[in-house]
Amino acid sequence: ACPIEVDRISHPLASAVGGSALLPVTLSYSLARTPQVTSLSPNRGTARGDTLVTLYGEGLEPLDSQGVATDLTSTNAVINFNGYDCVPQAANSSALSCMTTERNAGINVPSTSVFLEGRGYAIISERAEDTVFRYVDRWSNIYSWLESEPPV
């Protein structure tokens, strides 16, 4: 852990009553506690959603207030691909799975974001193709076309 010193912290409730409360604080950052995503599979799925995606890495389960691994829920884990939520399904220390939601607001820049309670935001591998999910529908898939009518 590497200590981080903060000179002062102001609590919003203290200023709400006209005063302020400044307290010395020490925070620490632990790389061992930070989740890391190194790959995901599959890396493509339909824009209609409902693709089960598994992320692989380390520290991929949320922690409770005591630092103990806890069950995955939509309140203690937030997974996001390209600006769209992926609903948490299951997790252990090296894998986390989620179900994609519909890509209903256009095409966004490919990105992956994972936040786990008690751990914070995950470090995402720099090898972009290994950690990016793309919403892709095949030209030949009848559901890719409005009213399920492909061009003739």
Side-chain angles (χ1 to χ4, degrees), residues 114-136:
V114 176
F115 179 84
L116 298 173
E117 190 172 285
R119 292 188 181 271
Y121 282 96
I123 296 171
I124 307 295
S125 170
E126 292 181 9
R127 297 184 321 210
E129 287 306 311
D130 292 344
T131 57
V132 169
F133 179 83
R134 297 183 189 278
Y135 289 91
V136 178

Side-chain angles (χ1 to χ4, degrees), residues 13-72:
L13 293 178
S15 58
V17 292
S20 64
L22 301 175
L23 306 169
V25 185
T26 301
L27 303 173
S28 71
Y29 172 80
S30 170
L31 184 59
R33 193 170 176 145
T34 303
Q36 297 178 52
V37 176
T38 55
S39 65
L40 59 83
S41 181
N43 62 357
R44 289 180 170 78
T46 176
R48 292 183 313 281
D50 292 333
T51 299
L52 184 65
V53 179
T54 302
L55 297 92
Y56 300 96
E58 297 177 26
L60 295 178
E61 49 194 354
L63 302 176
D64 64 16
S65 60
Q66 304 301 314
V68 177
T70 186
D71 291 337
L72 187 72

Side-chain angles (χ1 to χ4, degrees), residues 73-80 85-86 88 113-117 121:
T73 68
S74 58
T75 57
N76 65 14
V78 178
I79 303 108
N80 192 286
D85 290 337
C86 193
S113 174
V114 176
F115 179 84
L116 298 173
E117 190 172 285
Y121 282 96

